[in-house]
Amino acid sequence: VIQQPAFAQDKIDLEKKQEKGAIARRNDDPGDIGSREFQKLIYGTSSPYARTTEYTTLDNFSRQNIIQFYQKYFIPNGMLLGIVGDFDSAAMRSQIEAKFGRWQPRAVQKPVILPPPASQVNDRGIFLINQPHLSQSYVQMGHLGGVLSSPDYPALSVMNEVLNGFGGRLFNEVRSRQGLAYSVYGIWSPRYDYPGLFLAGGETRSDATVPFIRSIRAEIEKIRNQPISANELAFAQDSVLNSFVFNFRDPTQVLSRLLRYTYYGYPEDFLQRYQKAIKTVTIADVQRVASAYLAPQKLVTLVVGNASAIQPPLSSLGSNIPVTSIDITIPQPAKSSL
């Protein structure tokens, strides 16, 4: 399959049909709508980090295009092979050599694929996707984030735990004390080789949408400007460290992680280094990274909800920030589709 794929036309047709079915259903879930469109608001519609597959995307390539892609990129000198299990290493090596030993590197230069740069295309802004049938609002707000290799990632992870989960500030204040949310979160979510996002939001009643957004904004400002408590620091560190057991419960998780680290050029003990760094995070570290990395002036806010039921309206969030409507109509194919 790897060395001599058939790329049978009927299988390609089936895959395209299934993809087109997914396109037809992509506006069924308001949470999915919000996640998809928020990526576009941050990275831009043409960015590979937010690109959306359309009917024309599928119609514009053929079996020959797939073969050409395979021939260019699927080469043994551009692959990683990882195996985990209970086996004799020498015997396994012999089997690998028997199966793949004659698969010779092609006389082509190994492709060098650099991730394209990512930038935030909308600084601030309030955006609305009107869904009149909804009785609640799905809110996402945030801005461009960072990468996993940042030396501040451990401190940002602790900041995450202060904000999130049962016992976190957002849960205690926005959901429990103020009663404004069914769910609420605020996450610094980095990526391996391009900037991820800082993302906050949740689900709330239509009539609580504006107070919900204001409350999250207030918590962002608070953690930027006021030191967390010693109890919050200890709880957050314990939460991060206790979650490490889930990174090792399955051997395939360990193998997959090692392959990812190799692919992206991270050290094999990256997770262990991260674990040690969590233990050294201080109260001052958390406030420093919150102040440096959280940018209220760049917050983009997206609401998926019933515009007429959102009272006070979104326009009350800022006199100098217009509310922009987003059209999520699915473009129809230019020609008959499968």
Side-chain angles (χ1 to χ4, degrees):
V1 171
I2 294 175
Q3 298 176 68
Q4 297 177 334
F7 294 123
Q9 185 64 55
D10 62 327
K11 299 298 183 183
I12 295 173
D13 293 342
L14 176 61
E15 181 64 25
K16 284 191 175 186
K17 184 176 182 179
Q18 292 173 337
E19 288 288 331
K20 290 177 179 180
I23 293 173
R25 298 188 301 272
R26 75 181 183 201
N27 288 340
D28 292 352
D29 184 274
D32 291 344
I33 294 171
S35 296
R36 181 188 73 232
E37 297 301 322
F38 190 82
Q39 299 274 338
K40 295 179 183 179
L41 291 174
I42 298 297
Y43 295 114
T45 57
S46 61
S47 169
Y49 310 127
R51 196 174 292 152
T52 301
T53 300
E54 303 289 1
Y55 291 119
T56 53
T57 312
L58 300 170
D59 289 334
N60 283 343
F61 69 86
S62 65
R63 178 177 180 272
Q64 186 58 36
N65 296 132
I66 297 173
I67 293 172
Q68 290 171 348
F69 182 91
Y70 167 83
Q71 291 174 342
K72 184 175 182 180
Y73 293 110
F74 281 70
I75 54 179
N77 49 318
M79 282 193 166
L80 299 171
L81 173 63
I83 301 176
V84 63
D86 182 12
F87 51 76
D88 178 87
S89 297
M92 179 60 73
R93 183 182 182 89
S94 177
Q95 290 188 55
I96 293 171
E97 290 175 345
K99 298 296 183 183
F100 292 100
R102 288 187 291 273
W103 192 23
Q104 297 300 314
R106 298 192 187 96
V108 295
Q109 184 179 1
K110 180 181 177 181
V112 178
I113 306 174
L114 299 176
S119 59
Q120 184 167 330
V121 298
N122 290 289
D123 280 341
R124 304 186 72 182
I126 300 172
F127 299 85
L128 171 67
I129 298 174
N130 186 25
Q131 300 282 275
H133 62 283
L134 293 181
S135 58
Q136 63 187 46
S137 293
Y138 296 75
V139 179
Q140 290 204 353
M141 49 198 299
H143 53 67
L144 198 67
V147 293
L148 282 159
S149 58
S150 167
D152 286 328
Y153 175 47
L156 288 161
S157 297
V158 174
M159 181 195 74
N160 273 357
E161 293 301 322
V162 173
L163 289 173
N164 279 292
F166 293 102
R169 288 185 175 186
L170 291 173
F171 184 92
N172 289 345
E173 179 64 23
V174 181
R175 186 180 189 273
S176 297
R177 196 185 75 79
Q178 298 183 33
L180 293 175
Y182 307 122
S183 65
V184 63
Y185 56 85
I187 304 171
W188 184 264
S189 181
R191 293 293 182 263
Y192 281 97
D193 61 346
Y194 71 94
L197 301 172
F198 169 66
L199 189 63
E203 301 172 26
T204 186
R205 307 184 315 273
S206 296
D207 65 326
T209 303
V210 168
F212 174 75
I213 293 170
R214 286 176 172 156
S215 184
I216 291 180
R217 287 180 178 177
E219 290 303 315
I220 292 172
E221 290 287 359
K222 181 180 177 181
I223 201 168
R224 292 181 73 248
N225 298 313
Q226 300 177 24
I228 65 173
S229 69
N231 287 338
E232 285 180 311
L233 175 66
F235 179 81
Q237 287 173 311
D238 287 344
S239 297
V240 176
L241 294 173
N242 290 337
S243 69
F244 268 75
V245 64
F246 299 108
N247 292 306
F248 301 96
R249 59 184 175 182
D250 187 333
T252 59
Q253 289 178 309
V254 179
L255 176 65
S256 177
R257 186 171 61 249
L258 289 175
L259 288 173
R260 285 199 303 273
Y261 291 166
T262 300
Y263 179 83
Y264 288 111
Y266 280 63
E268 289 186 355
D269 63 343
F270 172 76
L271 196 61
Q272 287 77 11
R273 295 185 190 186
Y274 168 70
Q275 185 178 26
K276 291 179 181 179
I278 291 293
K279 298 176 182 178
T280 67
V281 173
T282 66
I283 291 173
D285 289 331
V286 174
Q287 187 175 13
R288 175 181 59 81
V289 298
S291 178
Y293 289 89
L294 300 184
Q297 74 279 8
K298 291 186 177 181
L299 280 177
V300 173
T301 302
L302 172 64
V303 177
V304 182
N306 183 347
S308 62
I310 298 175
Q311 297 296 330
L314 295 177
S315 57
S316 64
L317 287 168
S319 58
N320 297 324
I321 308 175
V323 178
T324 303
S325 295
I326 296 178
D327 183 7
I328 58 170
T329 303
I330 300 171
Q332 293 303 302
K335 61 180 181 180
S336 61
S337 298
L338 293 170

